[in-house]
Amino acid sequence: MKESIAEKPKVLMVDDVAENLHTMMNILRDKCAVIAATDGENALEKAARQPPPDLVLLDIRMPGMDGYEVLRRLKANPVTSDIPVIFVTALSEAEDEAKGLKMGVADYITKPINPDLLKVRVMAQLELQRYRRRAVSPCLQEGEAPQPEDLSILVVDDMPENVHELIEALSGEYRIQVANNGSKAIAMALGATPPDLILLDIVMPDMDGYEVCRRIKATEAGKRIPIIFLSVIDAPDKKVMGFSLGAADYITRPFDIDEARARIRTHLLLSRLQVSLELLVAQRTAALQATTNELQATLSAIPDPLFEMDLAGRYRSVHSPRYAVLGAPEHELPGKLMHEVLPADAARVCMSALREANEKGWSHGKQFVLTLSQGKSWFELSVARKNGATSDDAARFIVLARDITGRNRAEEQIRDQLEELLRWQEVTLGREGRLQETKREVNELCRRLGEPERYTRQETGEADASETGP
């Protein structure tokens, strides 16, 4: 299924030249929802709309308000200050790039635009923005950079002057490691203390940078290390080759050190956030697995059949560990309708319970009987509607069919015993009544004969006059 526009990250492109806008739109339209502005005022107005864009691609040279002023106003407005901005410009002077980086621009892309380079740098900034908004780790909140003392960079170059240049520029910010050939670089990258990022020259004797990158990225540990190519080679096909091997970015010599610092910061932070997210996912997966195990243990302890069904009476899932009460193996039931499995009377009772649960949210007490191999078995239904359904078609129900055969048989036995007791009581009371009547007749005969009565009033069941009153 194609990704909808609503799901795509939104990119605001700002350029006064329509041809430049069309070029960037054609490159990014598959990955991004693109909006355009042709001047600074229009750019500021669109950036402040809700929801705001996820990224701004901003030209520097524009009539009226240039890119620097647009950037300054974006960063000064709390609504737009957190939106990353990439300068897209034909300017190559170092002071222009340095000015933008000091003002807070996230990256530079030079014209003429290389499509693959544009995609890589745009997607890197968008991914960073997603991580920041998720706040995936308490130690890596939005706006926080990795601590330099915790991060190391491996510089791989066979030219000492190139190595010294990078060491001099970066040693105050990061711990620097050096390898002067491909084999040594691979050993250090996959060793006990791997670097956090690799700056890799392409043209080296014996093993070039492409092969070094391929071998590192072929390992599980190496996949996590961002690699930035450094080379005088600026051919598009060579850059495409580097990206296809897993390189994170490409910097062409001679390069501005501030631009290199920006790229290094971007990919170090992105790498840290990815590791943090993986750790968070692992923790939540472990917690979910523990909860799943607990629920599975609880489910296994339930001896009665348990189902998830829809309102049409279709089985969605089945748990019936101890009962062969269904007309098909348990794994074949999902997708079947209830009347295809149960006898008509039982299916009718179950459908009635489903309809009641759909109206009230629950149903309890409806019973049905099944004739099984061991004889008749009675079941009592408890049905609950699951929350979250927005229509009857989407409604789902949890159905517990509790076996009440033992309870019913025990109740029948108690009823039989009670009826027997009542019969005996009736017989006993009948006999007692006839005996008392005989005693009263004997007393009456004694009175007629003038003899003392043989039995007391208590024995004959007659009320004493003192008890009955006048």
Side-chain angles (χ1 to χ4, degrees):
M1 186 174 64
K2 290 186 177 179
E3 188 179 21
S4 69
I5 292 177
E7 295 171 337
K8 290 180 178 179
K10 185 164 69 171
V11 175
L12 171 61
M13 297 180 178
V14 188
D15 199 310
D16 62 307
V17 179
E19 184 180 351
N20 294 338
L21 290 174
H22 292 153
T23 298
M24 291 188 290
M25 285 181 178
N26 288 332
I27 294 171
L28 297 176
R29 69 173 65 231
D30 291 341
K31 297 291 185 181
C32 307
V34 178
I35 55 177
T38 55
D39 60 68
E41 291 290 350
N42 189 227
L44 292 171
E45 186 269 328
K46 288 185 176 180
R49 291 178 184 176
Q50 293 298 320
D54 299 287
L55 177 70
V56 176
L57 292 174
L58 179 60
D59 186 30
I60 293 180
R61 288 285 179 89
M62 294 186 296
M65 186 187 304
D66 67 12
Y68 295 117
E69 180 60 17
V70 175
L71 176 64
R72 187 190 67 77
R73 295 194 189 186
L74 286 172
K75 295 302 178 183
N77 185 347
V79 176
T80 59
S81 61
D82 292 332
I83 303 173
V85 178
I86 296 178
F87 270 155
V88 183
T89 179
L91 296 177
S92 58
E93 289 81 2
E95 59 269 19
D96 292 308
E97 293 189 354
K99 179 179 177 181
L101 292 167
K102 289 175 182 177
M103 292 176 66
V105 74
D107 206 342
Y108 267 85
I109 296 174
T110 57
K111 300 173 184 176
I113 293 170
N114 177 286
D116 295 290
L117 207 56
L118 177 65
K119 288 179 183 177
V120 165
R121 291 186 180 156
V122 165
M123 298 314 294
Q125 293 299 329
L126 289 173
E127 190 171 2
L128 268 178
Q129 188 72 337
R130 282 196 297 270
Y131 282 131
R132 286 166 174 159
R133 288 174 177 174
R134 290 174 185 170
V136 296
S137 171
C139 64
L140 287 174
Q141 298 293 334
E142 185 171 355
E144 291 187 7
Q147 296 300 313
E149 61 270 19
D150 296 331
L151 302 175
S152 66
I153 295 176
L154 173 59
V155 178
V156 186
D157 200 314
D158 63 312
M159 301 294 290
E161 58 271 25
N162 293 339
V163 173
H164 292 154
E165 178 188 8
L166 288 168
I167 291 176
E168 183 178 353
L170 300 174
S171 59
E173 299 176 66
Y174 307 101
R175 291 184 289 108
I176 305 299
Q177 305 176 50
V178 176
N180 58 8
N181 61 65
S183 298
K184 187 176 179 181
I186 294 170
M188 294 176 70
L190 305 180
T193 57
D196 295 287
L197 182 139
I198 300 174
L199 295 176
L200 178 60
D201 187 29
I202 293 178
V203 181
M204 294 186 296
D206 299 327
M207 187 188 304
D208 66 15
Y210 295 127
E211 180 62 15
V212 174
C213 181
R214 187 190 67 78
R215 294 193 187 187
I216 291 175
K217 291 299 179 180
T219 66
E220 196 61 36
K223 290 177 183 177
R224 299 175 179 271
I225 305 173
I227 295 177
I228 298 178
F229 279 130
L230 298 174
S231 179
V232 295
I233 300 175
D234 196 27
D237 59 329
K238 297 298 183 181
K239 293 182 178 180
V240 171
M241 181 188 299
F243 294 139
S244 69
L245 292 171
D249 212 328
Y250 202 113
I251 300 177
T252 304
R253 288 193 173 106
F255 55 83
D256 175 68
I257 194 61
D258 290 315
E259 179 187 358
R261 285 194 183 100
R263 304 261 161 77
I264 289 169
R265 282 196 300 270
T266 293
H267 290 290
L268 281 172
L269 182 55
L270 186 55
S271 176
R272 274 294 189 87
L273 288 168
Q274 287 172 334
V275 171
S276 182
L277 181 60
E278 289 174 5
L279 178 61
L280 183 62
V281 169
Q283 290 171 343
R284 290 182 177 177
T285 300
L288 179 61
Q289 186 60 53
T291 302
T292 301
N293 292 341
E294 291 177 5
L295 291 174
Q296 186 59 51
T298 302
L299 186 63
S300 299
I302 299 174
D304 302 298
L306 187 68
F307 315 105
E308 180 177 348
M309 311 193 79
D310 59 25
L311 189 56
R314 182 176 287 100
Y315 294 97
R316 295 291 178 174
S317 62
V318 179
H319 169 77
S320 183
R322 298 181 178 89
Y323 288 88
V325 301
L326 307 170
E330 182 177 326
H331 66 276
E332 294 182 5
L333 283 175
K336 288 184 177 291
L337 291 169
M338 194 183 301
H339 67 78
E340 298 174 331
V341 176
L342 297 177
D345 289 344
R348 198 159 35 246
V349 172
C350 293
M351 289 302 300
S352 174
L354 283 175
R355 287 190 290 269
E356 182 178 27
N358 190 48
E359 294 174 2
K360 298 180 179 179
W362 58 272
S363 175
H364 180 68
K366 288 183 170 56
Q367 299 180 11
F368 64 90
V369 62
L370 294 178
T371 301
L372 306 175
S373 58
Q374 65 268 32
K376 287 187 175 182
S377 293
W378 284 264
F379 294 88
E380 183 177 76
L381 294 173
S382 294
V383 184
R385 176 172 171 146
K386 295 176 69 175
N387 293 330
T390 56
S391 65
D392 286 349
D393 290 340
R396 298 291 181 267
F397 303 85
I398 300 300
V399 181
L400 176 65
R402 182 174 289 108
D403 187 347
I404 58 171
T405 303
R407 188 184 79 187
N408 279 8
R409 287 175 179 167
E411 290 175 354
E412 286 182 358
Q413 187 177 9
I414 291 172
R415 283 193 293 270
D416 291 343
Q417 291 174 350
L418 180 59
E419 289 176 3
E420 184 67 20
L421 287 172
L422 290 173
R423 285 196 296 273
W424 276 104
Q425 183 181 34
E426 184 179 338
V427 171
T428 301
L429 290 175
R431 289 176 179 174
E432 182 66 26
R434 288 194 295 273
L435 179 59
Q436 289 177 341
E437 181 63 29
T438 301
K439 289 178 179 179
R440 286 194 293 272
E441 290 176 355
V442 170
N443 281 350
E444 180 62 26
L445 290 174
C446 288
R447 284 194 294 272
R448 291 180 182 179
L449 294 173
E451 295 180 2
E453 292 181 355
R454 299 284 182 91
Y455 301 101
T456 66
R457 291 183 178 275
Q458 185 178 2
E459 290 175 317
T460 62
E462 293 180 309
D464 196 313
S466 63
E467 297 175 356
T468 60

Short mmCIF file of all heavy atoms in Angstrom, two decimals, residues 404-417:
data_model
loop_
_atom_site.label_atom_id
_atom_site.label_comp_id
_atom_site.label_asym_id
_atom_site.label_seq_id
_atom_site.Cartn_x
_atom_site.Cartn_y
_atom_site.Cartn_z
N ILE A 404 -20.58 -26.04 33.35
CA ILE A 404 -21.35 -26.12 34.61
C ILE A 404 -22.00 -27.49 34.75
O ILE A 404 -22.95 -27.66 35.51
CB ILE A 404 -22.42 -25.01 34.67
CG1 ILE A 404 -23.37 -25.11 33.47
CG2 ILE A 404 -21.76 -23.64 34.73
CD1 ILE A 404 -24.57 -24.19 33.59
N THR A 405 -21.46 -28.50 34.03
CA THR A 405 -22.03 -29.84 34.10
C THR A 405 -21.99 -30.38 35.53
O THR A 405 -22.99 -30.89 36.05
CB THR A 405 -21.27 -30.78 33.16
OG1 THR A 405 -21.31 -30.26 31.85
CG2 THR A 405 -21.89 -32.18 33.17
N GLY A 406 -20.83 -30.27 36.18
CA GLY A 406 -20.71 -30.76 37.56
C GLY A 406 -21.65 -30.03 38.49
O GLY A 406 -22.29 -30.65 39.36
N ARG A 407 -21.75 -28.70 38.32
CA ARG A 407 -22.66 -27.93 39.18
C ARG A 407 -24.10 -28.34 38.96
O ARG A 407 -24.86 -28.54 39.91
CB ARG A 407 -22.50 -26.44 38.87
CG ARG A 407 -23.25 -25.52 39.81
CD ARG A 407 -23.13 -24.09 39.38
NE ARG A 407 -24.04 -23.79 38.28
CZ ARG A 407 -24.05 -22.64 37.61
NH1 ARG A 407 -23.16 -21.70 37.92
NH2 ARG A 407 -24.93 -22.42 36.64
N ASN A 408 -24.51 -28.52 37.69
CA ASN A 408 -25.88 -28.92 37.41
C ASN A 408 -26.19 -30.28 37.98
O ASN A 408 -27.27 -30.51 38.55
CB ASN A 408 -26.12 -28.91 35.90
CG ASN A 408 -26.40 -27.52 35.37
OD1 ASN A 408 -26.27 -26.54 36.10
ND2 ASN A 408 -26.77 -27.41 34.10
N ARG A 409 -25.23 -31.20 37.82
CA ARG A 409 -25.46 -32.55 38.35
C ARG A 409 -25.51 -32.55 39.87
O ARG A 409 -26.31 -33.27 40.48
CB ARG A 409 -24.38 -33.49 37.84
CG ARG A 409 -24.55 -33.83 36.37
CD ARG A 409 -23.42 -34.65 35.81
NE ARG A 409 -23.65 -34.97 34.40
CZ ARG A 409 -22.75 -35.45 33.59
NH1 ARG A 409 -21.51 -35.69 34.02
NH2 ARG A 409 -23.05 -35.71 32.32
N ALA A 410 -24.68 -31.73 40.50
CA ALA A 410 -24.72 -31.63 41.96
C ALA A 410 -26.05 -31.03 42.41
O ALA A 410 -26.66 -31.49 43.40
CB ALA A 410 -23.57 -30.77 42.46
N GLU A 411 -26.54 -30.02 41.69
CA GLU A 411 -27.83 -29.43 42.03
C GLU A 411 -28.96 -30.44 41.85
O GLU A 411 -29.88 -30.49 42.67
CB GLU A 411 -28.08 -28.19 41.18
CG GLU A 411 -27.18 -27.02 41.54
CD GLU A 411 -27.36 -25.83 40.61
OE1 GLU A 411 -28.11 -26.00 39.61
OE2 GLU A 411 -26.77 -24.78 40.87
N GLU A 412 -28.90 -31.23 40.78
CA GLU A 412 -29.92 -32.27 40.57
C GLU A 412 -29.90 -33.28 41.71
O GLU A 412 -30.95 -33.73 42.20
CB GLU A 412 -29.69 -32.97 39.23
CG GLU A 412 -30.08 -32.14 38.03
CD GLU A 412 -29.89 -32.91 36.74
OE1 GLU A 412 -29.42 -34.07 36.80
OE2 GLU A 412 -30.21 -32.36 35.67
N GLN A 413 -28.69 -33.66 42.12
CA GLN A 413 -28.57 -34.62 43.23
C GLN A 413 -29.14 -34.04 44.52
O GLN A 413 -29.84 -34.74 45.27
CB GLN A 413 -27.10 -35.00 43.42
CG GLN A 413 -26.88 -36.11 44.43
CD GLN A 413 -25.41 -36.50 44.52
OE1 GLN A 413 -24.56 -35.84 43.95
NE2 GLN A 413 -25.13 -37.57 45.23
N ILE A 414 -28.87 -32.76 44.77
CA ILE A 414 -29.42 -32.12 45.97
C ILE A 414 -30.94 -32.05 45.89
O ILE A 414 -31.64 -32.31 46.89
CB ILE A 414 -28.81 -30.71 46.13
CG1 ILE A 414 -27.33 -30.83 46.49
CG2 ILE A 414 -29.55 -29.92 47.21
CD1 ILE A 414 -26.59 -29.52 46.47
N ARG A 415 -31.46 -31.72 44.70
CA ARG A 415 -32.92 -31.69 44.55
C ARG A 415 -33.54 -33.06 44.80
O ARG A 415 -34.58 -33.19 45.45
CB ARG A 415 -33.31 -31.18 43.17
CG ARG A 415 -33.18 -29.66 43.02
CD ARG A 415 -33.87 -29.17 41.75
NE ARG A 415 -33.19 -29.64 40.57
CZ ARG A 415 -32.20 -28.98 39.98
NH1 ARG A 415 -31.79 -27.82 40.46
NH2 ARG A 415 -31.63 -29.46 38.90
N ASP A 416 -32.89 -34.10 44.28
CA ASP A 416 -33.40 -35.46 44.50
C ASP A 416 -33.40 -35.81 45.99
O ASP A 416 -34.37 -36.40 46.51
CB ASP A 416 -32.56 -36.48 43.72
CG ASP A 416 -32.76 -36.35 42.23
OD1 ASP A 416 -33.75 -35.72 41.81
OD2 ASP A 416 -31.90 -36.86 41.47
N GLN A 417 -32.30 -35.42 46.65
CA GLN A 417 -32.22 -35.71 48.09
C GLN A 417 -33.28 -34.94 48.87
O GLN A 417 -33.88 -35.47 49.82
CB GLN A 417 -30.82 -35.36 48.60
CG GLN A 417 -29.73 -36.29 48.09
CD GLN A 417 -28.35 -35.83 48.50
OE1 GLN A 417 -28.19 -34.73 49.02
NE2 GLN A 417 -27.34 -36.68 48.26
#
